Amino acid sequence: MTHRQLKAGYFTLTGLNTVATSYYFNYLFFFLRDHFGFGNRGNLWVTAMSGFIYIFAAWQCGKFAARFGRVLSLKIGFLALCGVMVASALLVDNIVAVLVLVAIYNVVLLLTWPALEALVSERETQSGVQEMVGIYNCTWAGSAALAYFTGGKLYDVLGASAVFWLPAGIIFAQFLLLLWLETKHDAVLAATPEAGRVAPRPPPAGLDNHNHGANGVTHPTISPQTFLKMSWLANPFAYVAINTLFAVMPGVAQKLALSPTNVGLFCSVWLFGRLAAFVLLWQWRGWHYRFRWLFGAFVMLIVSLAMILLVQQLWLVVVAQIFFGVATGLMYYSSLFYSMDVGEASSEHGGLHEAFIGAGIFLGPATGALALTLAPQSADVSTWAVSGLLTLGLGGLVWLRTRPVEKA
C-alpha cells in the first residue's frame, strides 16, 4: 500500500463518518418531533446541550488523540458510537435515555474528528497539507449533502428507528475498515520520509490588507495572524446558523407542508452549495488574505438564514439556500486554511478547531431556545434573536479588521 492509498482509506472513513453522523443527528429532530412531540424550542434546547458538551469534549478528545495515538482514538470512538446507536434503538421509547445517549454521543464523536483531521495531513509538506485539506473538505461536505438528500426518504421508508440502526451499521463498517488500515499504517509511514515544513507565506502585496496613507506609503493593516483570528471568529458563527437551521427544520417543513422525503430533496440544496464552494475555494486561491470575501460571506449568511426561516414560498427557500451554502463554505474553509497556513496541523489543533465549532452549535440554538422560552407567543422570535447574535459576530469581525497591525 502506498502513502496516497492509505490516505484514501482515511478519506473513506471521513465520508462514512459524515454519512452516519448526518443520518443520526440531522434526522433526530424529526424523530423527536414525531415520537415525543418536540417543537422548535425543544429541538433547539437539545442542540444547545449537544453544543455545550461538544466544546469541552473536542478540546479533551483532541488531546487524547495526540497523547495516546490517533488510531486508538478512532477505534474507541467507533466502538462507542456504535454502542450509543444500538442502545438508542433499544431504548427508543424512553425520552430520558434517548437524551442521555445524545449527550454521550457528543463526547465519543470527538474521539473521531480531530484524529481523522490529523491523519489526512500526516507526513505532508505545507502545500501537501493544503491539498489534503481541500480533499478532506470536499469528502465530508459531499457525504453530508448526499446523506441529507437521501435521509428523508430512508426515514419515511425504513421508519423513525432508522436514525439509530442505519448509523450503527455504517459505524461498525468503519471500525472493520480501520482495523485493516491499522495493519498497513506503520509500514507505510516507515517508507514515507518526514515532510519538511516551510514558513507561513505573507499575504500577497496590493490586496485588502494594505491601505495608502496621505504620504503615499503603503501600510499593512491586517497580518496573517489577524486573518487567522477573524476566521476562528467567523466559523463558529457559521455553525450558529447551521445548527439553528437543522434544529428548526421540522418546523420549516411543517410550515411548507414538506414530508421528510421532500425535506431531503428541497432542503439539502445548501449542502450541495457548500460542497460547490469547497471545490471552488480549493482550486482557486484568489480569496486568500482578502477581507472582503470573509465579510461578504458573513453578510450573506445573516440574510440567507433569515430568508430560509421567514419566507413562505418554497422557491425562495431554495434560492436562499444557495447563498447560505456558499457563505458557510467560505467561512469554514477560511478557518481550516488559515489554521494550516499560519499555524501547524495536529490532533490538538484539530480539537481546538472542533471546540470552536461546538461553541457555535451551543450559542445559536441556545439563543433561539431562550428567545422562544421568554416569548413563546411569537413564532419568529428565535429567528430574530439568532440574526441579532450573528450581527454581533459581524461587528466582531469588523473590529478585528480595524485593529492596528500586530507586531511580529
Side-chain angles (χ1 to χ4, degrees):
M1 175 178 281
T2 66
H3 183 62
R4 283 293 177 262
Q5 287 172 334
L6 181 65
K7 291 298 176 72
Y10 293 135
F11 286 128
T12 301
L13 288 178
T14 297
L16 291 173
N17 212 39
T18 305
V19 169
T21 299
S22 298
Y23 281 149
Y24 169 64
F25 200 70
N26 294 343
Y27 283 95
L28 174 69
F29 302 116
F30 287 89
F31 169 81
L32 292 175
R33 180 197 68 180
D34 298 341
H35 214 65
F36 297 110
F38 276 40
N40 285 346
R41 183 174 63 176
N43 281 335
L44 285 166
W45 278 127
V46 171
T47 309
M49 174 195 73
S50 300
F52 186 76
I53 295 168
Y54 199 102
I55 297 170
F56 303 100
W59 185 30
Q60 294 302 318
C61 290
K63 288 184 175 182
F64 179 90
R67 182 175 180 182
F68 296 104
R70 297 147 184 173
V71 174
L72 176 62
S73 182
L74 286 174
K75 286 197 288 188
I76 296 173
F78 290 152
L79 282 178
L81 285 172
C82 192
V84 167
M85 293 298 99
V86 172
S88 298
L90 295 176
L91 299 171
V92 72
D93 294 322
N94 187 326
I95 182 58
V96 175
V98 168
L99 293 180
V100 168
L101 287 164
V102 169
I104 296 172
Y105 168 86
N106 280 281
V107 175
V108 295
L109 177 64
L110 272 303
L111 290 168
T112 65
W113 286 127
L116 284 170
E117 289 165 8
L119 283 169
V120 299
S121 60
E122 192 175 35
R123 296 291 177 93
E124 298 287 345
T125 63
Q126 187 156 5
S127 62
V129 166
Q130 292 171 10
E131 182 75 6
M132 291 299 104
V133 167
I135 298 172
Y136 175 83
N137 282 343
C138 293
T139 299
W140 73 256
S143 300
L146 178 64
Y148 204 76
F149 182 76
T150 60
K153 183 66 174 178
L154 292 172
Y155 184 94
D156 282 336
V157 172
L158 301 178
S161 61
V163 301
F164 307 120
W165 287 117
L166 192 57
I170 295 171
I171 294 165
F172 187 68
Q174 288 178 264
F175 178 73
L176 296 178
L177 175 58
L178 177 64
L179 292 182
W180 181 73
L181 290 173
E182 185 183 20
T183 65
K184 311 292 183 181
H185 183 268
D186 290 343
V188 171
L189 288 192
T192 306
E194 187 73 40
R197 302 286 293 177
V198 297
R201 297 191 310 273
L207 301 182
D208 290 345
N209 55 307
H210 291 74
N211 63 10
H212 297 273
N215 58 3
V217 177
T218 301
H219 299 286
T221 57
I222 309 181
S223 67
Q225 290 74 21
T226 299
F227 271 100
L228 176 61
K229 291 178 181 178
M230 288 192 295
S231 68
W232 279 356
L233 171 70
N235 193 41
F237 280 97
Y239 276 85
V240 163
I242 288 170
N243 285 275
T244 297
L245 180 60
F246 277 138
V248 302
M249 187 53 71
V252 173
Q254 191 169 22
K255 178 180 69 175
L256 298 174
L258 298 176
S259 66
T261 296
N262 287 329
V263 167
L265 293 175
F266 295 107
C267 298
S268 61
V269 173
W270 74 267
L271 291 154
F272 288 102
R274 182 175 64 181
L275 172 60
F278 282 166
V279 173
L280 176 63
L281 297 172
W282 172 29
Q283 297 298 323
W284 176 64
R285 300 185 178 185
W287 60 276
H288 294 177
Y289 297 102
R290 285 177 166 87
F291 173 74
R292 62 179 176 269
W293 286 96
L294 197 54
F295 178 82
F298 218 129
V299 173
M300 196 186 303
L301 180 81
I302 298 170
V303 175
S304 60
L305 178 67
M307 283 187 63
I308 293 169
L309 299 183
L310 294 175
V311 300
Q312 302 287 331
Q313 295 79 25
L314 180 59
W315 73 270
L316 284 175
V317 172
V318 171
V319 171
Q321 284 181 73
I322 297 172
F323 295 97
F324 187 81
V326 172
T328 55
L330 194 144
M331 293 165 80
Y332 181 91
Y333 209 118
S334 294
S335 178
L336 271 186
F337 170 77
Y338 293 124
S339 295
M340 298 298 181
D341 206 47
V342 179
E344 295 284 335
S346 72
S347 298
E348 279 197 63
H349 286 101
L352 184 61
H353 169 78
E354 294 291 338
F356 285 138
I357 289 175
I361 296 172
F362 167 69
L363 282 173
T367 300
L370 183 61
L372 283 172
T373 300
L374 296 176
Q377 72 282 359
S378 177
D380 296 328
V381 67
S382 61
T383 300
W384 296 116
V386 173
S387 296
L389 178 63
L390 292 172
T391 303
L392 288 177
L394 180 62
L397 188 78
V398 173
W399 176 75
L400 286 172
R401 164 67 177 85
T402 56
R403 292 177 66 199
V405 65
E406 298 179 20
K407 301 295 183 182

